[in-house]
Amino acid sequence: MTTTRRTLLTGSAAIASSGVLGTSAAQAHTPAKGPKPTVVLVHGAFADASGWNGVAGRLVRDGYPVIAPANPLRGVSSDSAYLASVLATLGGPVVLVGHSYGGIVITNAAAGNPNVTALVYVAAFMPDQGETLLGLQTRYPGSQLNEAALDFRPYGDGFVDGYIKKEVFRGVFAGDVPRATAELMWAGQRPADTRTLGEPSGTPAWKTVPSWYLVAREDRVLPTAAQRFMAQRAGARVREVGASHVAMISQPAATADLIKRAARHKV
């Protein structure tokens, strides 16, 4: 694959401050040498790959090859299989990054792939085997992404897509981005197939691959308590920021910094 195909060029500016809050004894790493790993950025539901633009631009300027493939958003197993097929086309080490629903996708897609050297979760679902999105989202109180916040649109033979309603989109999903930006995000949101909510996750790659987690303290989709629980359980290296669910958009500098930390380490 050529550098052009693997490079996403764009950027935006933001400043974030926080600290690394925790490390796992199981993650004793030394600085990586040789070519920089390819960073694969996986978006979640109600979003598309453009949400990574600010992060991707920073990584590209620092010399990282980056791709941000489209997540089909059709189901956990099928989306994970699709991402695994994308990863199979990449040579060399890979840092795999997931936001929100993208977290359950990278958890499954990375399983058994020796090229994946690090997993980075950005306000993302980080399930253990058998767990579901709905179970993790409702494990702790605080999520405002409920049935009342969604518009449902049938498609195909009995399938249903969910979209976040316009009147609640910014408050629930992207409270710390400019209103005009949130309106464009709402207009271009990609829906989630409602079947994904109850589909169980498979064997988690984070049990064998080192992980990092960016906790968003102002998240109204995935409660902060759930994020901390999943990160601690996995032994992830954790950083927290005062951000909404779309931390990679509102705080791209902090997000890119955590990804680069993951990229600079190896087992």
Side-chain angles (χ1 to χ4, degrees), residues 211-235:
S211 59
W212 283 254
Y213 200 109
L214 187 70
V215 172
R217 290 195 296 264
E218 307 301 325
D219 199 325
R220 296 180 181 178
V221 173
L222 181 58
T224 303
Q227 296 179 42
R228 290 171 177 156
F229 161 74
M230 291 183 289
Q232 182 178 16
R233 176 178 64 180

Side-chain angles (χ1 to χ4, degrees), residues 44-254:
F46 317 113
D48 61 26
S50 68
W52 290 111
N53 284 354
V55 173
R58 285 167 168 79
L59 295 173
V60 167
R61 287 194 293 272
D62 283 343
Y64 289 91
V66 178
I67 65 169
N71 185 352
L73 305 179
R74 297 297 86 189
V76 174
S77 58
S78 61
D79 294 343
S80 300
Y82 175 78
L83 179 58
S85 72
V86 173
L87 298 177
T89 69
L90 303 176
V94 170
V95 174
L96 190 53
V97 186
H99 169 247
S100 190
Y101 167 71
I104 194 171
V105 176
I106 70 171
T107 294
N108 288 272
N113 187 329
N115 287 343
V116 178
T117 60
L119 299 167
V120 182
Y121 294 80
V122 180
F125 290 89
M126 194 179 192
D128 203 345
Q129 185 166 6
E131 290 182 334
T132 65
L133 295 172
L134 185 60
L136 289 169
Q137 184 184 0
T138 58
R139 185 184 182 103
Y140 298 92
S143 177
Q144 295 180 18
L145 185 63
N146 51 34
E147 187 173 345
L150 297 174
D151 284 325
F152 297 101
R153 299 174 184 170
Y155 76 95
D157 187 13
F159 304 134
V160 178
D161 272 340
Y163 297 77
I164 302 178
K165 293 179 178 178
K166 184 175 184 178
E167 59 267 27
V168 301
F169 184 91
R170 184 168 182 256
V172 171
F173 195 70
D176 56 353
V177 304
R179 186 171 299 279
T181 301
E183 289 178 353
L184 291 175
M185 291 169 62
W186 171 81
Q189 68 177 298
R190 294 185 54 213
D193 188 311
T194 57
R195 292 173 297 174
T196 62
L197 290 171
E199 186 176 351
S201 188
T203 303
W206 52 257
K207 288 194 173 181
T208 56
V209 179
S211 59
W212 283 254
Y213 200 109
L214 187 70
V215 172
R217 290 195 296 264
E218 307 301 325
D219 199 325
R220 296 180 181 178
V221 173
L222 181 58
T224 303
Q227 296 179 42
R228 290 171 177 156
F229 161 74
M230 291 183 289
Q232 182 178 16
R233 176 178 64 180
R237 295 170 181 255
V238 178
R239 182 171 184 176
E240 295 201 2
V241 290
S244 72
H245 188 58
V246 291
M248 72 289 189
I249 296 176
S250 64
Q251 299 209 27

Side-chain angles (χ1 to χ4, degrees), residues 20 23 171 178 253:
V20 176
T23 60

